[in-house]
mmCIF file of all heavy atoms in Angstrom:
data_model
loop_
_atom_site.group_PDB
_atom_site.id
_atom_site.type_symbol
_atom_site.label_atom_id
_atom_site.label_comp_id
_atom_site.label_asym_id
_atom_site.label_seq_id
_atom_site.Cartn_x
_atom_site.Cartn_y
_atom_site.Cartn_z
ATOM 1 N N SER Z 1292 -4.850 -1.336 10.426
ATOM 2 C CA SER Z 1292 -5.936 -1.951 11.183
ATOM 3 C C SER Z 1292 -6.999 -2.480 10.219
ATOM 4 O O SER Z 1292 -7.234 -1.894 9.166
ATOM 5 C CB SER Z 1292 -6.543 -0.945 12.157
ATOM 6 O OG SER Z 1292 -7.013 0.185 11.459
ATOM 7 N N LEU Z 1293 -7.618 -3.573 10.611
ATOM 8 C CA LEU Z 1293 -8.674 -4.175 9.812
ATOM 9 C C LEU Z 1293 -9.963 -3.413 10.047
ATOM 10 O O LEU Z 1293 -10.347 -3.142 11.187
ATOM 11 C CB LEU Z 1293 -8.852 -5.645 10.196
ATOM 12 C CG LEU Z 1293 -9.919 -6.410 9.414
ATOM 13 C CD1 LEU Z 1293 -9.550 -6.495 7.939
ATOM 14 C CD2 LEU Z 1293 -10.095 -7.797 10.003
ATOM 15 N N GLN Z 1294 -10.612 -3.050 8.948
ATOM 16 C CA GLN Z 1294 -11.879 -2.321 9.027
ATOM 17 C C GLN Z 1294 -12.917 -3.118 8.252
ATOM 18 O O GLN Z 1294 -12.681 -3.496 7.102
ATOM 19 C CB GLN Z 1294 -11.725 -0.928 8.426
ATOM 20 C CG GLN Z 1294 -13.014 -0.155 8.316
ATOM 21 C CD GLN Z 1294 -12.801 1.186 7.639
ATOM 22 O OE1 GLN Z 1294 -11.773 1.822 7.772
ATOM 23 N NE2 GLN Z 1294 -13.795 1.623 6.897
ATOM 24 N N ILE Z 1295 -14.042 -3.377 8.874
ATOM 25 C CA ILE Z 1295 -15.151 -4.041 8.188
ATOM 26 C C ILE Z 1295 -16.309 -3.061 8.181
ATOM 27 O O ILE Z 1295 -16.745 -2.594 9.231
ATOM 28 C CB ILE Z 1295 -15.536 -5.359 8.887
ATOM 29 C CG1 ILE Z 1295 -14.341 -6.305 8.857
ATOM 30 C CG2 ILE Z 1295 -16.753 -5.980 8.202
ATOM 31 C CD1 ILE Z 1295 -14.521 -7.588 9.610
ATOM 32 N N ARG Z 1296 -16.764 -2.737 6.997
ATOM 33 C CA ARG Z 1296 -17.866 -1.777 6.878
ATOM 34 C C ARG Z 1296 -18.987 -2.379 6.046
ATOM 35 O O ARG Z 1296 -18.759 -3.277 5.236
ATOM 36 C CB ARG Z 1296 -17.380 -0.457 6.301
ATOM 37 C CG ARG Z 1296 -16.722 -0.556 4.963
ATOM 38 C CD ARG Z 1296 -16.140 0.797 4.516
ATOM 39 N NE ARG Z 1296 -15.351 0.651 3.327
ATOM 40 C CZ ARG Z 1296 -15.844 0.635 2.094
ATOM 41 N NH1 ARG Z 1296 -17.136 0.787 1.904
ATOM 42 N NH2 ARG Z 1296 -15.054 0.487 1.050
ATOM 43 N N SER Z 1297 -20.167 -1.888 6.250
ATOM 44 C CA SER Z 1297 -21.347 -2.363 5.526
ATOM 45 C C SER Z 1297 -21.932 -1.225 4.713
ATOM 46 O O SER Z 1297 -21.823 -0.054 5.087
ATOM 47 C CB SER Z 1297 -22.406 -2.864 6.510
ATOM 48 O OG SER Z 1297 -21.911 -3.908 7.277
ATOM 49 N N TYR Z 1298 -22.558 -1.589 3.608
ATOM 50 C CA TYR Z 1298 -23.258 -0.594 2.814
ATOM 51 C C TYR Z 1298 -24.382 -1.299 2.051
ATOM 52 O O TYR Z 1298 -24.448 -2.527 2.008
ATOM 53 C CB TYR Z 1298 -22.308 0.131 1.851
ATOM 54 C CG TYR Z 1298 -21.736 -0.736 0.753
ATOM 55 C CD1 TYR Z 1298 -22.340 -0.792 -0.501
ATOM 56 C CD2 TYR Z 1298 -20.592 -1.501 0.966
ATOM 57 C CE1 TYR Z 1298 -21.811 -1.591 -1.518
ATOM 58 C CE2 TYR Z 1298 -20.057 -2.288 -0.037
ATOM 59 C CZ TYR Z 1298 -20.675 -2.330 -1.268
ATOM 60 O OH TYR Z 1298 -20.157 -3.120 -2.265
ATOM 61 N N GLU Z 1299 -25.258 -0.516 1.474
ATOM 62 C CA GLU Z 1299 -26.374 -1.056 0.721
ATOM 63 C C GLU Z 1299 -26.236 -0.621 -0.733
ATOM 64 O O GLU Z 1299 -25.980 0.561 -1.018
ATOM 65 C CB GLU Z 1299 -27.690 -0.545 1.307
ATOM 66 C CG GLU Z 1299 -28.896 -1.289 0.802
ATOM 67 C CD GLU Z 1299 -30.148 -0.936 1.592
ATOM 68 O OE1 GLU Z 1299 -30.112 -1.009 2.832
ATOM 69 O OE2 GLU Z 1299 -31.149 -0.590 0.932
ATOM 70 N N THR Z 1300 -26.379 -1.565 -1.664
ATOM 71 C CA THR Z 1300 -26.269 -1.256 -3.083
ATOM 72 C C THR Z 1300 -27.522 -0.508 -3.546
ATOM 73 O O THR Z 1300 -28.520 -0.426 -2.821
ATOM 74 C CB THR Z 1300 -26.098 -2.538 -3.924
ATOM 75 O OG1 THR Z 1300 -27.263 -3.339 -3.773
ATOM 76 C CG2 THR Z 1300 -24.852 -3.311 -3.487
ATOM 77 N N GLN Z 1301 -27.472 -0.014 -4.772
ATOM 78 C CA GLN Z 1301 -28.610 0.732 -5.314
ATOM 79 C C GLN Z 1301 -29.858 -0.134 -5.430
ATOM 80 O O GLN Z 1301 -30.970 0.365 -5.361
ATOM 81 C CB GLN Z 1301 -28.256 1.320 -6.674
ATOM 82 C CG GLN Z 1301 -27.263 2.449 -6.578
ATOM 83 C CD GLN Z 1301 -26.919 3.031 -7.934
ATOM 84 O OE1 GLN Z 1301 -27.183 2.432 -8.964
ATOM 85 N NE2 GLN Z 1301 -26.309 4.207 -7.919
ATOM 86 N N ASP Z 1302 -29.652 -1.451 -5.606
ATOM 87 C CA ASP Z 1302 -30.816 -2.343 -5.715
ATOM 88 C C ASP Z 1302 -31.229 -2.935 -4.362
ATOM 89 O O ASP Z 1302 -32.020 -3.867 -4.302
ATOM 90 C CB ASP Z 1302 -30.571 -3.450 -6.731
ATOM 91 C CG ASP Z 1302 -29.372 -4.316 -6.401
ATOM 92 O OD1 ASP Z 1302 -28.636 -3.974 -5.466
ATOM 93 O OD2 ASP Z 1302 -29.186 -5.339 -7.086
ATOM 94 N N GLY Z 1303 -30.695 -2.372 -3.260
ATOM 95 C CA GLY Z 1303 -31.140 -2.751 -1.931
ATOM 96 C C GLY Z 1303 -30.419 -3.919 -1.281
ATOM 97 O O GLY Z 1303 -30.781 -4.326 -0.177
#
Side-chain angles (χ1 to χ4, degrees):
S1292 58
L1293 181 64
Q1294 173 183 327
I1295 299 175
R1296 58 186 172 84
S1297 300
Y1298 67 95
E1299 193 169 309
T1300 63
Q1301 289 180 344
D1302 59 352

